[in-house]
Amino acid sequence: MGLKKLKFCTFWSAPIWVFVALSFLVNMVQCQDVNDYGQVDNPAVLPFVTSLVNSRLSNLTNVLSRDISDQASFCIKDQEAEWNKAFNFSSNLDFLASCIQQTQGSIMRRVCTAAEGKFYFDMFFRSSNANALRPNKNCNLTSWVSGCEPGWACRVGPNEPVDIENSKVIPSRTTDCQPCCAGFFCPRGLTCMIPCPLGSHCPNATLNTQTGLCEPYNYQLPPGQPNHTCGGANIWADIRTSSEVFCSAGSYCPTTVQEKPCSSGHYCRTGSTSEKRKPYTSTIDFYISNLHVIRIVSLTLIDLTGCFKLTSCNSNTSSQDLHAYGVMLIVATVTLLLIIYNCSDQVLTTRERRLAKTREAAARSARETVKARQRWKAAKNAAKKHASGLQTHISQRFSFNKAAKHPEEELKILDETRFETDEHLYAPVHMNTSSESLSSSSPIELSNLMPVRHEIEDVPENYDGFDVGSHHRKSKGQTTKGKQPHTHSQIFKYAYAQIEKEKAQQQDNKNLTFSGVVSMATDPEMRKRPLIEVSFKDLTLTLKGKEKHLLRCVTGTIKPGRITAVMGPSGAGKTTFISALAGKAMGCKKTGLILINGKNESIRSYRKIIGYVPQDDIVHGNLTVEENLWFNAKCRLPAHLPKPDKVLVVERVIESLGLQMVRDSLVGTVEKRGISGGQRKRVNVGLEMVMEPSLLILDEPTSGLDSASSLQLLRALRHEALEGVNICMVLHQPSYSLFQMFDDLVLLAKGGFTVYHGSAKKAEQYFAGLGIHVPDRVNPPDHFIDILEGIVKPSQSSSVNYKELPVRWMLHNGYQVPPDLQQTAAQIAMPSASPTPTNGTSPHAGIEEKSFAGELWQDVRSKVEIHRDSIQHNFLKYKDLSRRRTPGVLWQYRYFLGRLCKQRMREAKVQATDYLILLLAGACLGTIAKTGEENFGAIGYTYTIIAVSLLCKIAALRSFSLDKLQYWRESASGMSSLAYFLAKDTVDHFNTVIKPLVYLSMFFFFTNPRSSFAANYTVLLCLVYCVTGIGYAFAIFFQPGPAQLWSVLVPVVLTLVATRTQDNEVLKRISNLCYPKWALQAFVISNAERVNKKASEHVLSSRYYGVWLITRCGALLKSNYSLDNWTLCIVILILTGVISRSIAYLGMITFQKK
């Protein structure tokens, strides 16, 4: 037991004695006061003294960071971490030991207290000039010791206590002045030393006898003091003021007194502390002093990296040469853009080719089925006749009474039922007239067609739309019962089967003769559209502000199921008339009534079932014919209509307008040739036909068409009229064959008066009653218009003047004559009466001539009224009476998105050009505008903001400038403006994401900034989003020329305002509204980012740390930036983009075509 106790005591005795010895030694040092300790040459004592001094300096750093935290909060986020990182010398304390020996242990009496440090940094934050310190207790006009000179310091008296953490009182420090120690700097005007931060190089200065400067610093020896020598460093400020203190580029400084060249394969930026990336290490040492635990953490600063592969990093280089990556990226990008440029249409072309093959196969199958059905009908009819003849022959032989049977009863032998008794409706196709040939050939045809009939009956889905026993056209909107077609092949088979069936129906009806019309009109299975009858009484339109009549006293009715032609000379108000009927007449004062089905309701309440074909061919040139028609069908047909029936509607329109050969051809634009002008006109009409309107209004649909195309168009419209569509169109001098296809005629004279309104076939009879006869071989409408123009005068036997024709029509129908035409009416009523004398006065004698100011005021007032009417027209909501539920906003958004994707794929060449320009801009600006260390790349980022804003705004103009007319037409027809705008913006998001990558791929690798690629991309992404919204607004509010000018000027002017605000308070306030200020601030903050602490790795990393602290604060202070504002800048950029888009959307739905 005693032996164990002895061993136990021996085990614990050694540590206890070591602890006691260390405590005694530390207490002895503490008792003797390290400020006066004179045994610093003792190797056993010096390490402990050095560690103690380092801990005291660490405490000083903490106090100093707390004292200036309010002033430096804008540039130093984590005060304690940043200052500790800048003055953490625990990895190498040799320079402290050397200074302790140089000062003979009085180092802590020479080091600046918290009050002196605060005094120095306070002067910096106030004046941004550390060379202009204010007079203080030790250095003033009456007291200027040698320690006040740059690079020198003094000590506090031996009997005066020193509280290094005192931040209020500056001690008296004027004795024993010596040169500043290496690793410290001694400012001019202060008699103390401040440690140089990490990343600096502060050796002792040497005198250059030629220049008289203390190198490497720029101060001179004081005159009249021959014993005065060069000291140490004299200043630590921003890099412009104290660049000699910073560790030079191409070198790294592991301590503040060592500078080593950067080896080959690595690069060292200005102010670097190491050459290689090292893992984080933490060394914790504990010293006991007065029962306080002092912890010293050793950090390895992470700043430098080895060079990437394929880059050249020679020795003593400050950055790696990334041009090889830039060249590779340029080559790869250009190659990709060339591929996109040359193969942009291949994806869509391949898909269209596959659909075309499917469609052709379906059409071929439908035609073969129709032929088989016709052959079957022919064989069946032949068999019926043969059986009927055989039955008659047998009946005559065996029974006289049976021979008198009705033919319908005879047909019952074959168990067949005849549905129609009109033989000409069912004339057999391709049949011989000889009964012998029929009887001889029918068994063969019947035997050959029996498999076909069995196939049709067994597999009806392959022959959708056909019924062997009936040839009636199926109701629109009702597909075959049972399995619904869903594949492209099935849908096309169904559609073409229906079309071929309708062709057979028309052939049976003798090309719509009277009996055919009656048959179709009485067909119970044919779906009728909602009928719209438009009546107008005393309709008068007067241009606001000018009191000019566009229409006067127009009365009449346009009826469903009829085609009404509106004709007249130029200036007669034809387009104004149909615009008033369609509810599109703006800027006019309307009097009179427009009744819909006898009710006084707005025509806009029925706009979902009203089609309006404008005079100009407003179609999308970068879409095919089928894509234009199909998009309108999806957006404007009833939402519940199945897709096969929508396809049927589109295919029927393409068939009726004769567009089969160009259905897959692009319509074309001014720059790119497409289909012909006549075909484009038919596509313009087809856009309204595919929505199955009840009222179809057309403005000169035959202009630019030849006679054959015009006739085909009128036949298609006649087919629409048979379904109850009310068709009204404006024409200029139609041919005689076209004129014969019109049901009604509205003939207008100049001034908007009605000359004739009634049946087109009775027009000649009416004018003949007035003594106006149409000469032989003269087209009646041409003759009527020539008379109304005054070119041709009525016959000499007629006393009618062409100016009297409107009044004669009013008297003929008993309409009320306007007061200004009463005199003409009286003359017509009493032709023998002499005209009333006018006493030499003109009709306009009572009108007072207005002054210039009055006319100007009238013009301004009329324009204001026109804009007001436009806004009311766009925002006023009407009750929907059409009873048609079209797709909602989300579905239309989907349709718009699909259409825009196709258009952008076809415009890939333009997109590739945009990307190429951005690449060149990034390479040029990255080469010219290098990222400056002193301003954190502000100059290069300023050029970036201007270039990216300009290029992206001009590109954004194309989104809304090129298809304004198409949008106005689509929105007027009831399509969602919100879906259109959101789809445009969504598609542009692709460019918003890609363009920053394209630009930074050049700019970032050429400038090689300290900020990360992700930070630069985030700011540039928000900038592109912002300027794209502004580009939308310019495109909507301005014409293309002024919009481009604004897009160029705005980024330049706003950037100049945002960067020139130092001396003008007004500009500072204005700059807060400029997006370049926030974008530039975000870029600078990203480059001068604060210390980031990764909790998972316990790593402190900063892009500008240590010696860069004052430079960072100075640059941010000069620009009035703050590290806390990065999120604010991003939010403001995004908010600006959202607000500009909202303004653009409101402008889009408010300001439309006059």
Side-chain angles (χ1 to χ4, degrees), residues 597-634:
N597 294 332
K599 299 180 181 179
N600 189 8
E601 296 171 342
S602 174
I603 191 68
R604 291 176 59 83
S605 300
Y606 298 87
R607 68 175 183 172
K608 289 185 178 180
I609 54 175
I610 295 177
Y612 184 86
V613 180
Q615 182 175 353
D616 300 325
D617 301 331
I618 303 175
V619 293
H620 290 278
N622 50 8
L623 294 177
T624 64
V625 172
E626 183 180 4
E627 288 168 351
N628 273 287
L629 299 177
W630 180 236
F631 175 79
N632 274 264
K634 289 189 294 185

Side-chain angles (χ1 to χ4, degrees), residues 1026 1072 1074-1075 1078 1127-1137:
C1026 172
N1072 293 330
C1074 302
Y1075 73 87
W1078 305 103
T1127 303
L1128 176 63
C1129 295
I1130 297 299
V1131 171
I1132 289 179
L1133 288 176
I1134 296 176
L1135 190 61
T1136 303

